[in-house]
Amino acid sequence: MSWLDDLEKKLHDADVQVVNDAKSPSGKPHVGALRGVLIHDAVYKFLKDKGIKVKNIYGSDDYDPMDELPGGETAEKYDKYLGAPLSNVPAPKGSEHKDLAMHYISDFFKIFDEIGAEAEFYYMRDYYKSGFFNEAIDTLLSRAAEVREIYKRVSNSDRPNDWFPAQVVCEKCGKLGTTQIIDWDGKEATYVCRDDMVTWAKGCGHKGKMSPFNGNGKLPYKVEWAAKWKYLNITIEGAGTDHNTRGGSRDVADAVSRKIFNYNPPVNIPYGFFLLGGAKMSSSKGIGATARDMTNFLPAEILRYLMLNTQPKRAINFEPSQMFITKLFNDYDKLHNKFIQGTELVDYEKQIYTLSNVFSDEKYEVVDFSLIVTLIQLPHININEKVEERLNRKLTNAEKKNLERRVNAAKYWLKNLASEEERIQLQEKMPLEANELSQTQIAFLRIFAEHIKNIKPTEDNFQTAVFDASRLTPINPKLAFEAIYRVMLNKQQGPKAGSLIAYIDKDFIQKRFNEPAFNEIEFWKESSLTENEYNLWLKENSEKIIEKTEKNYTIDNVSVKEISVSMNDNKIYVKRVM
RNA sequence: GGGCGCGUAGCUCAGGGGUAGAGCAUCUGCCUUUUAAGCAGAGGGUCGGUGGUUCGAGCCCACCCGCGCUCACCA
């Protein structure tokens, strides 16, 4: 992966590389937030692996003001908190946490473990309340003019002379996002709580004077970013494309970092969004997948592979379609199989595989995802047994665990994401598309139905019967299977036909398979050989033939010949000549 | 309007100076059980456009066209 190799060349000269990322806990984090988590985790693991001293920290920006209503919550209940620090907003009813910030971030932090991301968590409220950022606040307020100049120069944003780069929590209404510091005497800040400060919250109009230290005040996002870099010694931090635009927050933070704090900004890794079906997923609107949804769906190594195999700058276009999901699993499996078979992996393959497969070095066999999807849709099937049957051996514990995770993924996909067409569904009525079956296929269905009347109804017997009936028709087995899937599922392909038939009512099969309109003379025209072709076939197979019986018919005044041929392998072939 | 990304085979995409690639789809041949993906082979692309740099350009540069995301309040 060139982006990691490139990164190594850009590293700061520091004793310890500090990788940082953060999330404002204003709602259920959407899946895109995982991209940042995994990119930073990959950087951390990559550098550690190179023997470079590195630590990975992840912050909850829980002193940020609440700038939108939490999903699913009513305005009347939360309106009054808009603009207050998230750590001061009560959690929704029924939550095990006291405040809104912890309510949202704690589950997100649990995800780290589940996807194999390692980070030390920190909470901005602690840093503010403990006075950790007092010095930064003091510096910024004292040098407000320079900060205003940076805003103007970098992002063409006019900040009036009575604007200072910090905000305090209003003593009267508890809001932070609405206050403007209008004067600073080196110890105390004079502020106004304005109703026109921001569009998303209204202040109470209070005017006061207080110390901005020890949690009374907070830095606005862009300058806070720079202060974090400086005071947490951050050397690497990526951010989404929304921050990485000219004049955007990253540019402002860069300038503040250099000019005010005299600190070289961390190495940047701009990364693109995570798009669902071409559209951006939005957590605030409750549309699309949350990080939790995605973690519940995909096994960790697949999710990691998805996030890390795409160049950071490029958007990830996630589609919940069967094709996309299957390809995702198969792409990963290709690497995995190379690995367990001992095939030499090229550097980038090795890198992405190691970064994806973080939980186990064991050489376990993976089971094809599409096979699992098929199997779990058939009733009464024990997947473990099926897979063991296929492998012809018992599954190891690692394999069982992996299989279980994939079964869960398949179930999740079927339940939440699969379209109707992608689900296997037994057709209650003969599908219209069955009209497109050839007469040979229709004949096959009738022959098959007749053939299975007297066999023992096991999966294997039915499966064998498909091939037996194919020879008796005769028809290319592929077309035979297509006919079966068409009349049962209205699809061209499906799960193993023998299994499918074994679990379906016999009368239904008889009725359905005999239902399509059969035209015997057309069937003969389609399927019969010329005398020459037949003789050629006889010649080629003469050694194997044990017995043959010919029957002559007249159909629509045409005389035809049906030859039943027994071979030395007990198989019976039917040939038609007209 | 600015920034970033994308445009390569019918479809999904990889490749970032040295003879245009993969998977799926299509076609051909083979197969007595691959059945969502059996084996072998084939066809299929003026790499969005126009210029430029170079012995040589999908690749680098400039401009243009189309699509997507994003920013200009806040985070």
Side-chain angles (χ1 to χ4, degrees):
Chain A
M1 267 181 293
S2 54
W3 66 275
L4 278 171
D5 297 322
D6 289 350
L7 177 92
E8 198 187 354
K9 296 173 205 152
K10 293 191 248 170
L11 287 183
H12 287 194
D13 185 19
D15 292 341
V16 184
Q17 297 296 328
V18 179
V19 183
N20 180 59
D21 193 11
K23 174 92 190 73
S24 191
S26 56
K28 286 183 185 170
H30 73 81
V31 55
L34 292 178
R35 190 167 194 189
V37 171
L38 289 175
I39 283 174
H40 289 93
D41 180 60
V43 168
Y44 168 72
K45 289 181 161 71
F46 171 77
L47 294 179
K48 202 167 88 171
D49 196 49
K50 294 259 170 189
I52 294 167
K53 264 189 113 177
V54 58
K55 69 175 186 171
N56 190 23
I57 59 177
Y58 198 102
S60 171
D61 286 337
D62 56 7
Y63 223 49
D64 286 356
M66 182 169 84
D67 62 357
E68 61 186 6
L69 292 171
E73 293 298 333
T74 53
E76 53 195 39
K77 208 172 146 195
Y78 275 93
D79 217 19
K80 60 185 169 191
Y81 297 113
L82 277 169
L86 287 161
S87 63
N88 295 354
V89 179
K93 253 196 187 137
S95 172
E96 57 179 304
H97 300 282
K98 279 187 185 159
D99 60 81
L100 195 69
M102 286 307 280
H103 173 73
Y104 285 125
I105 208 71
S106 57
D107 182 60
F108 188 61
F109 282 174
K110 276 186 205 154
I111 289 177
F112 279 62
D113 263 350
E114 295 169 32
I115 62 177
E118 306 161 75
E120 296 165 34
F121 302 128
Y122 64 88
Y123 300 82
M124 286 303 279
R125 71 174 81 170
D126 297 339
Y127 280 130
Y128 277 111
K129 288 177 179 171
S130 69
F132 183 80
F133 282 121
N134 284 356
E135 188 182 296
I137 292 170
D138 184 22
T139 306
L140 286 158
L141 287 176
S142 303
R143 297 173 67 179
E146 289 169 74
V147 178
R148 287 192 286 261
E149 186 275 325
I150 288 169
Y151 268 83
K152 177 66 186 163
R153 175 167 52 83
V154 177
S155 70
N156 197 28
S157 170
D158 274 314
R159 303 282 154 159
N161 285 338
D162 61 351
W163 178 90
F164 286 75
Q167 288 175 293
V168 290
V169 180
C170 175
E171 295 156 290
K172 205 169 164 199
C173 70
K175 294 193 180 189
L176 168 78
T178 52
T179 63
Q180 180 179 345
I181 292 178
I182 54 172
D183 195 24
W184 166 244
D185 64 12
K187 280 192 174 158
E188 292 195 315
T190 308
Y191 71 96
V192 212
C193 187
R194 296 172 54 170
D195 66 353
D196 61 346
M197 188 74 185
V198 286
T199 54
W200 37 270
K202 287 207 183 310
C204 63
H206 179 72
K207 190 172 174 181
K209 193 173 183 187
M210 67 193 278
S211 158
F213 299 132
N214 303 321
N216 288 347
K218 180 194 178 294
L219 299 168
Y221 171 67
K222 292 176 192 182
V223 297
E224 177 185 280
W225 207 2
K228 280 164 86 172
W229 293 343
K230 160 83 174 178
Y231 287 92
L232 296 172
N233 306 306
I234 293 159
T235 60
I236 302 163
E237 179 168 355
T241 53
D242 49 343
H243 301 281
N244 287 293
T245 190
R246 182 177 293 173
S249 48
R250 173 80 200 200
D251 274 2
V252 173
D254 270 16
V256 171
S257 182
R258 286 207 173 85
K259 180 115 190 273
I260 309 291
F261 295 120
N262 193 28
Y263 186 78
N264 193 11
V267 179
N268 194 6
I269 308 163
Y271 55 88
F273 277 110
F274 190 98
L275 309 169
L276 174 62
K280 186 189 164 196
M281 292 191 190
S282 159
S283 60
S284 58
K285 296 188 182 97
I287 303 163
T290 61
R292 174 46 72 193
D293 289 337
M294 195 55 79
T295 316
N296 286 347
F297 174 26
L298 294 175
E301 68 276 15
I302 302 296
L303 183 59
R304 294 182 67 95
Y305 177 79
L306 168 68
M307 294 283 190
L308 298 175
N309 188 42
T310 310
Q311 294 289 324
K313 271 200 167 185
R314 295 180 59 158
I316 294 177
N317 274 295
F318 184 86
E319 277 177 57
S321 71
Q322 181 160 25
M323 254 183 70
F324 185 94
I325 304 292
T326 304
K327 186 172 187 305
L328 175 62
F329 274 84
N330 288 355
D331 285 349
Y332 174 81
D333 288 356
K334 229 173 265 172
L335 279 184
H336 179 84
N337 289 335
K338 270 192 182 178
F339 172 75
I340 61 168
Q341 283 157 15
T343 310
E344 190 70 26
L345 297 177
V346 301
D347 284 350
Y348 89 89
E349 287 176 329
K350 203 168 173 177
Q351 204 168 56
I352 181 68
Y353 179 73
T354 312
L355 287 170
S356 303
N357 183 41
V358 289
F359 286 126
S360 171
D361 306 328
E362 280 182 75
K363 296 197 169 184
Y364 58 91
E365 201 82 41
V366 291
V367 182
D368 187 277
F369 184 71
S370 58
L371 177 68
I372 294 173
V373 168
T374 300
L375 289 179
I376 64 169
Q377 291 184 86
L378 292 178
H380 318 300
I381 283 196
N382 181 319
I383 296 214
N384 279 27
E385 277 174 22
K386 281 284 148 201
V387 172
E388 287 180 343
E389 212 172 89
R390 259 178 115 84
L391 289 174
N392 205 17
R393 63 172 172 81
K394 292 281 176 197
L395 290 171
T396 66
N397 281 337
E399 283 165 347
K400 276 184 191 160
K401 230 169 136 183
N402 185 268
L403 179 57
E404 193 190 325
R405 290 191 293 147
R406 288 186 172 213
V407 167
N408 286 339
K411 283 182 177 164
Y412 186 98
W413 180 79
L414 280 167
K415 185 170 174 235
N416 301 301
L417 301 168
S419 67
E420 276 312 308
E421 298 89 63
E422 289 168 332
R423 290 197 184 98
I424 294 171
Q425 203 167 24
L426 193 64
Q427 302 292 301
E428 285 180 30
K429 285 189 207 158
M430 178 66 82
L432 279 179
E433 287 82 351
N435 290 332
E436 284 157 32
L437 290 175
S438 69
Q439 284 300 321
T440 309
Q441 286 176 302
I442 291 170
F444 160 78
L445 290 171
R446 300 166 78 93
I447 292 166
F448 177 80
E450 187 60 31
H451 191 75
I452 60 171
K453 271 183 181 164
N454 297 313
I455 65 169
K456 202 175 150 210
T458 68
E459 291 177 37
D460 284 347
N461 285 348
F462 284 127
Q463 187 71 14
T464 306
V466 177
F467 289 90
D468 289 341
S470 295
R471 283 186 292 272
L472 296 175
T473 309
I475 186 174
N476 176 328
K478 192 183 174 192
L479 295 172
F481 281 105
E482 282 179 13
I484 291 175
Y485 296 126
R486 179 59 63 200
V487 297
M488 292 180 78
L489 310 173
N490 196 19
K491 292 173 73 162
Q492 198 173 359
Q493 287 161 323
K496 190 168 182 175
S499 318
L500 186 63
I501 291 164
Y503 291 108
I504 288 167
D505 184 59
K506 261 191 150 179
D507 293 338
F508 175 88
I509 301 281
Q510 289 300 331
K511 187 165 169 285
R512 176 61 55 87
F513 281 29
N514 281 295
E515 202 176 322
F518 181 50
N519 180 328
E520 195 169 14
I521 187 70
E522 284 302 319
F523 162 54
W524 277 81
K525 281 182 188 164
E526 275 179 24
S527 65
S528 58
L529 302 173
T530 63
E531 199 68 39
N532 277 348
E533 286 167 339
Y534 171 60
N535 287 330
L536 193 66
W537 181 84
L538 275 184
K539 208 172 150 190
E540 281 172 359
N541 293 280
S542 56
E543 288 168 16
K544 293 192 251 169
I545 295 171
I546 293 173
E547 192 189 351
K548 64 182 164 79
T549 46
E550 288 188 19
K551 288 183 200 163
N552 293 295
Y553 302 99
T554 307
I555 299 171
D556 283 8
N557 298 320
V558 183
S559 56
V560 299
K561 192 162 61 170
E562 182 185 281
I563 309 101
S564 185
V565 185
S566 298
M567 302 286 227
N568 59 3
D569 55 7
N570 293 325
K571 301 285 195 282
I572 299 169
Y573 289 76
V574 169
K575 294 287 158 183
R576 297 172 197 279
V577 178
M578 73 184 279

